[in-house]
Amino acid sequence: MSDTPPAHHTKHLPVLAYPFKNVAFHLVQKDDGASNGTALWLGAQVLSVYLATEFKGKSRKTVATGMSNGTSVPYDTVRSKAIELGSGIGLMALALASLGYDVLATDTAHVCASVLRTNINANAHLVPGHVHVRELDWGVDPTGWIWDDPVSITSSAPLPRRDDDGRDVLAPPFDLIVSSDTIYDTALVTPLFETIHALSALSYASALSPPSSRTETKPPVIYLAVERRDPTLITTAFARAGEEWGLLFQRVPEKRLKRAGVGVGWDAGEWEGVEVWRGRWDGVTGAVK
């Protein structure tokens, strides 16, 4: 990370040249006070470095498309699919795509229009995975989500199931759910975890078809990166995640983050308070009967 200064040292820069693995992303940001999501934050930096090590060589999965004596038969490998909540300027989505994931990068309409879509389009040629950008309003009930609209999951006007460049739009099941720097306000906790729960349940239900794959299927893995600015808020949020939504998290030990390269070249205090949590839905709490 020595070539990438901590986010709080670069918020004044309108464009970031951000080295990641063997490429350099060019990311537009706006620290104009209009939205927290239009500038880079530490959580995305830490999570991207950690997952680059954790997921190295693990971005493809075997899919079962045939049957033999009532048993599913592996047919091919495909890219795993990830969805990011609160993608901001797009660093995490591009990082996952550089590892080979197909990524659905989501945020508010303002963030998508002002920085996210611009950055994804400008850097798409640098990564092997595909990144799609769509608005996702956490306040919209999941029963109203529209997966066929290439612009907004929470739009009221469904469009044909094609993205701007002719690719199929990404939809559940997802193998991975990620979000960083999104637990900083009590008002966001419920809509965030309700959205994660809904995505987990939709992905789990979709992955259970055909029924023969049930023994191998689990809900998607979830990774959240947070800054512990308000310890009570963070502790309470993760406790509620388990109690109310069956989202069971464990904190990734700091020494494991360091082994992955987090903080290399930075002073120790530069990322103090940044945590990564790994979790998964229990598959039961809040499930549709």
Side-chain angles (χ1 to χ4, degrees):
M1 299 181 73
S2 57
D3 294 331
T4 56
H8 46 272
H9 292 311
T10 61
K11 291 191 185 296
H12 65 287
L13 299 175
V15 180
L16 298 174
Y18 198 97
F20 188 82
K21 297 185 66 181
N22 299 320
V23 300
F25 301 133
H26 285 79
L27 304 171
V28 173
Q29 65 172 357
K30 298 180 180 179
D31 189 27
D32 55 10
S35 169
N36 287 327
T38 55
L40 182 64
W41 291 87
L42 275 174
Q45 292 185 283
V46 169
L47 186 59
S48 62
V49 170
Y50 175 66
L51 293 187
T53 298
E54 188 74 3
F55 290 165
K56 186 177 181 180
K58 300 178 181 178
S59 62
R60 298 190 71 84
K61 61 179 180 179
T62 301
V63 292
T65 59
M67 298 290 294
S68 176
N69 297 324
T71 303
S72 60
V73 178
Y75 178 77
D76 200 359
T77 60
V78 297
R79 286 195 180 96
S80 294
K81 295 191 299 184
I83 182 169
E84 182 183 17
L85 304 178
S87 294
I89 67 171
L91 171 61
M92 189 68 241
L94 288 166
L96 287 173
S98 77
L99 299 174
Y101 280 80
D102 283 341
V103 186
L104 179 53
T106 70
D107 215 305
T108 65
H110 171 71
V111 173
C112 288
S114 61
V115 293
L116 180 56
R117 188 168 285 108
T118 296
N119 287 338
I120 298 304
N121 290 340
N123 294 278
H125 66 287
L126 298 174
V127 296
H130 299 299
V131 184
H132 302 236
V133 176
R134 297 166 79 187
E135 176 192 352
L136 176 56
D137 183 344
W138 303 345
V140 173
D141 190 283
T143 59
W145 290 354
I146 304 169
W147 293 103
D148 288 342
D149 187 327
V151 176
S152 174
I153 297 167
T154 46
S155 168
S156 59
L159 298 173
R161 189 183 167 80
R162 306 297 295 182
D163 208 342
D164 293 339
D165 61 1
R167 293 173 285 141
D168 287 339
V169 297
L170 290 180
F174 295 103
D175 305 286
L176 175 67
I177 301 171
V178 298
S179 188
S180 56
D181 308 297
T182 47
I183 304 179
Y184 57 86
D185 187 327
T186 303
L188 295 175
V189 173
T190 293
L192 173 62
F193 283 129
E194 285 184 344
T195 300
I196 292 174
H197 175 270
L199 289 168
S200 297
L202 284 170
S203 296
Y204 190 42
S206 298
L208 289 179
S209 287
S212 58
S213 62
R214 292 189 179 203
T215 58
E216 306 170 1
T217 301
K218 296 180 181 179
V221 176
I222 308 160
Y223 279 96
L224 301 183
V226 301
E227 284 193 61
R228 190 173 280 271
R229 302 184 191 92
D230 183 339
T232 301
L233 170 62
I234 299 300
T235 300
T236 301
F238 282 108
R240 288 186 59 198
E243 294 166 1
E244 299 180 30
W245 296 284
L247 300 170
L248 308 178
F249 286 92
Q250 287 188 325
R251 182 182 170 185
V252 176
E254 184 176 314
K255 61 182 180 181
R256 188 165 181 175
L257 298 180
K258 290 180 177 178
R259 282 201 302 267
V262 172
V264 172
W266 291 1
D267 292 337
E270 296 283 17
W271 62 288
E272 184 178 2
V274 179
E275 301 172 356
V276 173
W277 292 71
R278 183 186 189 278
R280 199 190 298 266
W281 178 48
D282 63 12
V284 177
T285 306
V288 177
K289 305 298 183 181

